Amino acid sequence: TVLEGAGAAALAGALLPNLLRDRGLNGKKIVLVLCGGNIDLSVLNRVIERAFAADGRMCRVTCSIKDQPGRLVELCQIIAAAEGNVKQISHDRNFAPLDPSWVSSVFTIETRNHQHIEEIHRALQAAGISFNVG
């Protein structure tokens, strides 16, 4: 259920420790009205994507690669071979390592779970790709 913050107030109250007991409602059937769909879709999208990341269904990897033709394709092929689905790439020459012959590439990758993320990391390591997570 998607609710705006105020629409979940009844649920928040019911979850407070001892509230139901103090009101003599322990063991009784209660009804909570959950309402309000006034939530911004961009906020909802951020909530969903954060949940995906926490669940291991999405990760971000920043790689340093030589700034040469074909290197970005090779990096994408390594991720694809590990069955990662590239959602977004930021290929940045301006804020890359100090050596101008290297570039920083930030990948957002859809994954299955935390173990799958580790498999992708191992594939990058095996290929000699320098990377950071997060």
Side-chain angles (χ1 to χ4, degrees), residues 16-107:
L16 287 173
N18 305 321
L19 181 88
L20 296 177
R21 186 200 62 196
D22 292 349
R23 300 212 189 298
L25 298 172
N26 255 6
K28 295 186 178 181
K29 291 183 182 180
I30 62 170
V31 175
L32 302 174
V33 177
L34 306 176
C35 61
N38 187 23
I39 186 165
D40 183 285
L41 291 179
S42 63
V43 172
L44 179 58
N45 185 55
R46 285 192 300 249
V47 169
I48 291 169
E49 290 198 345
R50 284 185 183 197
F52 280 168
D55 221 18
R57 294 177 53 198
M58 185 166 45
C59 70
R60 182 180 312 152
V61 178
T62 302
C63 301
S64 295
I65 58 173
K66 286 291 255 182
D67 192 8
Q68 298 171 331
R71 291 296 292 158
L72 182 58
V73 171
E74 290 174 13
L75 185 50
C76 288
Q77 289 171 335
I78 292 165
I79 294 169
E83 298 182 358
N85 187 32
V86 175
K87 182 175 180 181
Q88 183 177 350
I89 301 172
S90 174
H91 193 64
D92 193 349
R93 289 179 171 91
N94 298 324
F95 296 97
L98 292 176
D99 185 339
S101 65
W102 288 80
V103 64
S104 179
S105 296
V106 181
F107 286 79

